[in-house]
């Protein structure tokens, strides 16, 4: 059953516009367990894919079994090309030989907002040392995402994950989540939650 759900998720998540409305307005807290239950507005939703989508208008991203998609530390970072908000593209392979910090976020995400200014300050502190940052915006609107970038004066490359392919390939099941990719293109660390500047700097120094 898990494999069937995953296959359906992968198929639907690649269809532009598959998500109607703002999922965050519906999802207060996400909880993942072996039987794929979901806590929404303080109550459990049945694991049935169809029932959950119909009852709460949950996006498929919200009911994926973690173990099916989570990336392993020490594995090569999946390649991707990200269209950027300010034009152009970010191509991961072009930055091989540099440490790359990949941050998944959304404008509606409260923990994302808590770490946003610190990420920008750390980027400015390390960009001269060859460290690359890239932000991947998910499940958002273009207007809200651009307002978020302006609000926090973010200058490192950011773009929207159209169709959700990058989100799927990286096994993102909650945000913010930050991946630390070493100079060889291998995932050295993954952290879910708001990062402090001190911790971010410490882990960058280890790359």
């Amino acid at each position: 059953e898990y494999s069937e759900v995953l296959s359906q998720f992968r198929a639907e998540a690649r269809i532009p516009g598959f998500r109607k409305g703002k999922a965050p307005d519906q999802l207060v807290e996400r909880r993942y367990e072996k039987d794929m239950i979901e806590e929404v507005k303080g109550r459990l939703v049945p694991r049935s894919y169809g029932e959950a989508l119909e009852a709460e208008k949950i996006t498929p991203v919200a009911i994926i079994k973690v173990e099916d998609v989570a990336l392993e530390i020490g594995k090569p970072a999946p390649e991707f090309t990200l269209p950027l908000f300010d034009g152009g593209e970010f191509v991961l392979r072009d930055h091989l030989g540099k440490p790359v910090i990949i941050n998944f976020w959304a404008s509606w995400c409260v923990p994302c907002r808590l770490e946003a200014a610190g990420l920008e300050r750390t980027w400015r502190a390390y960009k001269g040392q060859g460290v690359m940052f890239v932000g991947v915006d998910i499940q958002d609107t273009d207007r809200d995402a651009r307002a978020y970038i302006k609000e926090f004066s973010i200058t490192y490359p950011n773009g929207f994950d159209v169709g959700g392919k990058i989100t799927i390939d990286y096994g993102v099941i909650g945000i913010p989540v930050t991946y630390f990719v070493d100079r060889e293109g291998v995932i050295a660390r993954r952290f879910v939650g708001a990062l402090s500047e001190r911790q971010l700097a410490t882990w960058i120094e280890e790359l």
Side-chain angles (χ1 to χ4, degrees):
E1 183 177 357
Y2 289 147
S3 61
E4 292 177 3
V5 172
L6 181 61
S7 296
Q8 188 171 2
F9 165 73
R10 288 183 180 279
E12 292 198 17
R14 285 181 167 84
I15 300 174
F18 80 96
R19 181 181 65 82
K20 295 182 179 180
K22 286 190 177 182
D25 293 339
Q26 303 293 332
L27 303 180
V28 176
E29 181 180 355
R30 294 179 176 181
R31 191 168 98 188
Y32 300 83
E33 297 184 5
K34 291 182 179 179
D35 59 352
M36 291 167 46
I37 60 175
E38 176 76 15
E39 187 171 352
V40 179
K41 295 183 178 178
R43 67 181 182 83
L44 297 181
V45 172
R47 68 172 175 164
S48 165
Y49 183 89
E51 288 179 12
L53 287 177
E54 181 65 25
E56 298 289 346
K57 295 183 173 56
I58 300 171
T59 82
V61 175
I63 55 175
I64 277 294
K65 185 186 176 193
V66 175
E67 291 83 354
D68 283 335
V69 292
L71 286 176
E72 294 182 30
I73 303 303
K75 298 292 185 179
E79 292 288 348
F80 66 84
T81 298
L82 178 70
L84 300 176
F85 287 116
D86 61 357
E89 297 177 329
F90 179 94
V91 182
L92 182 61
R93 72 172 67 91
D94 290 348
H95 300 279
L96 190 65
K98 302 177 183 178
V100 179
I101 312 304
I102 306 171
N103 178 256
F104 288 82
W105 62 276
S107 64
W108 45 262
C109 165
V110 174
C112 298
R113 303 182 73 84
L114 294 176
E115 70 175 6
L119 282 169
E120 174 63 21
R121 284 191 292 267
T122 307
W123 153 248
R124 295 186 185 192
Y126 279 92
K127 64 180 181 179
Q129 301 178 37
V131 178
M132 193 67 213
F133 277 44
V134 61
V136 182
D137 179 35
I138 69 173
Q139 299 185 11
D140 216 341
T141 67
D142 183 78
R143 183 182 65 180
D144 289 347
R146 290 178 184 275
Y148 177 96
I149 290 170
K150 181 178 181 180
E151 178 181 350
F152 293 102
S153 302
I154 297 172
T155 60
Y156 56 87
N158 270 270
F160 180 66
D161 183 17
V162 179
K165 185 179 187 304
I166 304 172
T167 304
I168 296 170
D169 290 344
Y170 276 78
V172 174
I173 47 84
I175 53 174
V177 58
T178 305
Y179 289 85
F180 295 76
V181 181
D182 67 18
R183 298 174 189 275
E184 286 70 48
V186 172
I187 295 176
R189 188 179 298 275
R190 174 179 181 269
F191 182 82
V192 180
L195 267 170
S196 69
E197 290 178 66
R198 178 179 296 180
Q199 187 64 79
L200 178 58
T202 297
W203 286 339
I204 288 175
E205 293 289 346
E206 295 176 358
L207 293 175

